[in-house]
Amino acid sequence: MKQFIIEGSRIHDIPSFYAEINRLFMQNESWQLGQSLDAFNDLLYGGFGAIDGREPFILLWKDMPQSKAALGYEVTKRYYEEKLLPDSPFNKEHFREKLAALEEGSGQTYFDIVMEIIGEHGNVKLQEA
C-alpha cells in the first residue's frame, strides 16, 4: 500500500499546506493544485498525481498538532474574511455564516475542514506520526 508522509512542520498557513500537498502528490505532474479545498478533495479521489483512482493509501501526518495550530482560528478567520472582500466572486452569505460560526466557537477551522475531507475518503487511512 502506498504511503505518504505530510511533514507538518512545513505547514505554517494555507499556502504552505498546499505546497506540502503538492510536494507529496503532484511531483510528477506538470501542474500544481491551487489553494482550494475542492481541489484537495478531488486529489483524494485519485486519477491524477500520485494516486491511481480509488486505491487505498496511508497518509501519515507528522507534527499534526503544529499543523492544527497553523490552520487554526486566526488563519481560518482571515480565509473567510478574504472571501468576503467586495471584489470576491464567492457566495458571501455562505462565508458570512461560516465566519459567524467560527467566531461563536461552533465553526470549523481550516484544519477541521481538511480532516473532514480526508475522513470522507474511505481509501485514505490517516495516521498521526
Side-chain angles (χ1 to χ4, degrees):
M1 186 180 303
K2 286 183 182 177
Q3 178 175 298
F4 301 93
I5 301 172
I6 293 177
E7 296 290 344
S9 63
R10 295 180 183 203
I11 298 172
H12 308 286
D13 53 17
I14 293 171
S16 61
F17 167 73
Y18 288 98
E20 180 64 2
I21 295 303
N22 280 312
R23 181 189 71 81
L24 284 177
F25 295 102
M26 301 299 288
Q27 59 186 315
N28 295 323
E29 296 288 341
S30 61
W31 57 282
Q32 301 281 284
L33 289 182
Q35 295 178 33
S36 162
L37 291 164
D38 289 335
F40 178 64
N41 188 38
D42 289 346
L43 171 73
L44 297 180
Y45 280 111
F48 62 91
I51 305 169
D52 297 324
R54 303 281 289 152
E55 72 175 324
F57 65 93
I58 297 169
L59 185 59
L60 293 173
W61 197 316
K62 288 184 174 179
D63 301 310
M64 190 181 282
Q66 181 177 336
S67 299
K68 183 176 184 176
L71 300 174
Y73 179 87
E74 291 301 325
V75 164
T76 307
K77 184 177 180 196
R78 282 192 304 274
Y79 169 75
Y80 289 148
E81 289 170 343
E82 288 173 9
K83 303 294 185 193
L84 294 171
L85 292 174
D87 60 342
S88 167
F90 299 99
N91 178 338
K92 290 182 178 49
E93 184 57 33
H94 171 77
F95 286 104
R96 271 192 284 279
E97 291 171 7
K98 294 285 193 182
L99 178 58
L102 181 72
E103 291 175 334
E104 292 168 3
S106 61
Q108 293 178 301
T109 64
Y110 205 89
F111 182 83
D112 294 334
I113 297 166
V114 167
M115 290 294 106
E116 181 177 78
I117 290 169
I118 292 170
E120 291 172 353
H121 293 271
N123 60 313
V124 182
K125 182 176 181 183
L126 177 64
Q127 297 177 352
E128 189 171 352

